[in-house]
Amino acid sequence: TLLYAGNDATGRAISGVGFQPDFVWFKDRSNTINHALYDAIRGTTKFLESSATSPEQTQTQGLTAFSSDGFTLGSNGSVNGNNNNYTSWNWKANGSGSANTDGTISSTVSANTTSGFSIVKYTGNATVSTIGHGLGVAPKMIITKNLDRAEAWPVDCREADNGAGGILYLNETGSLGAYGNTSPYPSTAPTSTVYSVGTAGNTNYSGSNMIAYCFAEKTGYSKFGSYVGNGNADGVFVYLGFKPSFVMTKCTSASGQSWHMQDNKRDGFNYDNKRLFAESSSSESGTTRMDLLSNGFKYRDGDGQGNGSTYIYMAFGQSLVGSNGVTAKAR
């Protein structure tokens, strides 16, 4: 997570990420404005909005370059409005990607097998198919967007929910949907080389370009799972085995519940961690109480958004340490 204040300047260089990011997720913390997501496969100036169904858009004054320690911005308000406060969440994949023929649909994959993250681009064919993801292990969570059409953001979270989950939508607040051949993801679970897509337009519309963000679990750095809240101020503790720097949670058992995004850099650290919402353009809110602890996270209120029902989560440490990538450190 990297925070900065906008200045409305063209060619604004932002550094301090610690590596050259391949996937950058921006949100204006101060204003009601949509999230902006950029990645190295689609290239600079091409953005998506997790808080909307809009297809990929071009913004010449958005993210204009990926650099060795961050990125360069134009003057667009979604990433660099004057005096606005921003957060950027950054992931490292493997550059602009390479050809992958593991699936029945060929894909372009930018994969970081050490950290368990890949970006996958492919063209839909409207038949049940498999897609190569390049991770070498089965992904725990897959987020897909149709680049050419106004479609929802389906999330395959079955592995995060111990195989018993279902489909959620990143741009919506609904509960779990069912798998099937005509849905975004069929009932076939992901493998170490491929995952499956159904015939739905939001993952496999014929002739449409698709992008997917795939996440695998790495001991000591990332974890994807589920928990059941207890509905009181002494909330449930979720063990991760590392100190989280970013946590996103979503209720799976009831509709009307947001995707909560919290990190260790924004104001209000333990327990008043401020939240943003993946599906909403709203500005930062400070009403969710969460402790980010040395080995997990714990809710500190009975709010149904995070501690009253059943939830999935994705959590990351700050960075990998050592060649095996088994320990996370917090800065």
Side-chain angles (χ1 to χ4, degrees):
T1 303
L2 184 66
L3 308 181
Y4 63 94
N7 67 1
D8 198 33
T10 299
R12 170 84 183 281
I14 301 292
S15 61
V17 172
F19 54 84
Q20 180 166 322
D22 297 303
F23 175 40
V24 187
W25 184 329
F26 295 96
K27 181 65 180 79
D28 185 328
R29 302 162 57 197
S30 310
N31 298 282
T32 300
I33 189 168
N34 281 329
H35 298 243
L37 285 67
Y38 294 81
D39 66 67
I41 287 186
R42 292 184 296 116
T44 59
T45 75
K46 305 292 186 181
F47 76 100
L48 294 164
E49 300 168 316
S50 68
S51 42
T53 61
S54 307
E56 180 184 71
Q57 301 172 65
T58 299
Q59 174 49 257
T60 59
Q61 291 298 313
L63 185 150
T64 58
F66 296 98
S67 63
S68 61
D69 190 33
F71 42 82
T72 302
L73 305 173
S75 58
N76 183 260
S78 64
V79 296
N80 195 26
N82 193 36
N83 295 322
N84 295 349
N85 293 316
Y86 293 87
T87 185
S88 68
W89 299 294
N90 300 269
W91 283 265
K92 181 176 177 60
N94 191 22
S96 59
S98 57
N100 182 297
T101 57
D102 290 340
T104 56
I105 294 178
S106 296
S107 56
T108 299
V109 176
S110 176
N112 184 340
T113 57
T114 301
S115 65
F117 171 61
S118 69
I119 307 166
V120 179
K121 186 177 181 183
Y122 62 96
T123 301
N125 64 8
T127 64
V128 177
S129 302
T130 57
I131 313 292
H133 54 68
L135 291 173
V137 295
K140 291 282 188 176
M141 192 173 291
I142 303 166
I143 303 170
T144 305
K145 181 68 181 76
N146 186 317
L147 299 179
D148 300 328
R149 292 169 53 86
E151 299 274 5
W153 289 74
V155 181
D156 185 346
C157 56
R158 81 186 84 196
E159 296 305 309
D161 202 14
N162 299 314
I167 299 167
L168 294 167
Y169 293 89
L170 190 65
N171 61 296
E172 298 178 3
T173 61
S175 56
L176 289 171
Y179 296 105
N181 286 352
T182 59
S183 70
Y185 307 101
S187 56
T188 305
T191 73
S192 61
T193 56
V194 300
Y195 68 93
S196 298
V197 291
T199 62
N202 46 33
T203 59
N204 199 14
Y205 192 88
S206 182
S208 282
N209 292 306
M210 309 284 175
I211 201 78
Y213 305 111
C214 303
F215 300 90
E217 194 168 89
K218 294 296 179 179
T219 301
Y221 168 68
S222 61
K223 193 169 178 62
F224 307 83
S226 63
Y227 67 93
V228 178
N230 61 18
N232 62 58
D234 185 15
V236 63
F237 167 71
V238 179
Y239 176 78
L240 301 174
F242 57 86
K243 184 175 183 177
S245 65
F246 174 92
V247 178
M248 181 159 68
T249 63
K250 172 69 175 75
C251 180
T252 61
S253 56
S255 61
Q257 309 295 308
S258 291
W259 293 83
H260 288 206
M261 307 175 78
Q262 289 159 297
D263 60 64
N264 66 348
K265 296 294 179 67
R266 289 180 287 133
D267 297 339
F269 186 72
N270 289 359
Y271 61 68
D272 192 17
N273 279 291
K274 293 187 176 180
R275 62 184 178 178
L276 289 163
F277 311 100
E279 84 291 344
S280 173
S281 63
S282 62
S283 59
E284 193 173 62
S285 166
T287 58
T288 290
R289 312 302 191 208
M290 178 192 279
D291 283 345
L292 301 177
L293 304 171
S294 63
N295 58 353
F297 64 91
K298 181 180 176 71
Y299 272 96
R300 291 292 189 180
D301 66 23
D303 178 26
Q305 295 274 354
N307 188 36
S309 299
T310 302
Y311 306 84
I312 62 162
Y313 66 86
M314 62 187 306
F316 298 89
Q318 177 66 35
S319 58
L320 293 165
V321 177
S323 60
N324 293 325
V326 295
T327 305
K329 65 179 180 179
R331 294 176 179 170

